[in-house]
């Protein structure tokens, strides 16, 4: 959570920007978790996971600002 907040703060984003960060991080999890079998009831999101899923997002934001 702290890493997600840090990224949102660094980008000076509002609620919509924060939502897009969370969606980027959670996208795979949202589709994979329902397919898991067994007792897995929770999913841990770590700082390295957040960082790896947000790679390239800054350049995507810059591209949209230019267009």
């Amino acid at each position: 959570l702290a890493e997600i907040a840090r990224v949102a703060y660094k980008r000076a984003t509002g609620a919509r920007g924060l939502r897009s960060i969370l969606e980027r991080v959670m996208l795979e999890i949202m589709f994979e978790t329902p397919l898991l079998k067994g007792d897995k009831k929770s999913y841990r999101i770590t700082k390295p996971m957040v960082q790896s899923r947000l790679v390239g997002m800054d350049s995507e934001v810059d591209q949209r600002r230019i267009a």
Side-chain angles (χ1 to χ4, degrees):
L1 186 57
E3 181 63 13
I4 293 170
R6 187 195 66 74
V7 170
Y9 180 78
K10 178 183 166 191
R11 295 179 181 165
T13 185
R16 288 185 183 151
L18 179 57
R19 180 181 173 179
S20 77
I21 292 168
L22 286 168
E23 285 176 346
R24 173 70 67 95
V25 171
M26 298 290 296
L27 186 65
E28 227 176 280
I29 298 166
M30 290 187 296
F31 289 102
E32 287 179 2
T33 303
L35 301 175
L36 295 176
K37 295 184 175 144
D39 295 333
K40 185 146 179 137
K41 304 278 186 215
S42 64
Y43 206 97
R44 183 173 298 227
I45 299 171
T46 63
K47 182 177 179 176
M49 174 193 234
V50 171
Q51 292 170 338
S52 70
R53 293 189 182 189
L54 296 180
V55 169
M57 193 170 181
D58 283 332
S59 61
E60 290 174 19
V61 170
D62 292 340
Q63 291 291 333
R64 285 188 215 136
R65 288 183 184 156
I66 293 170

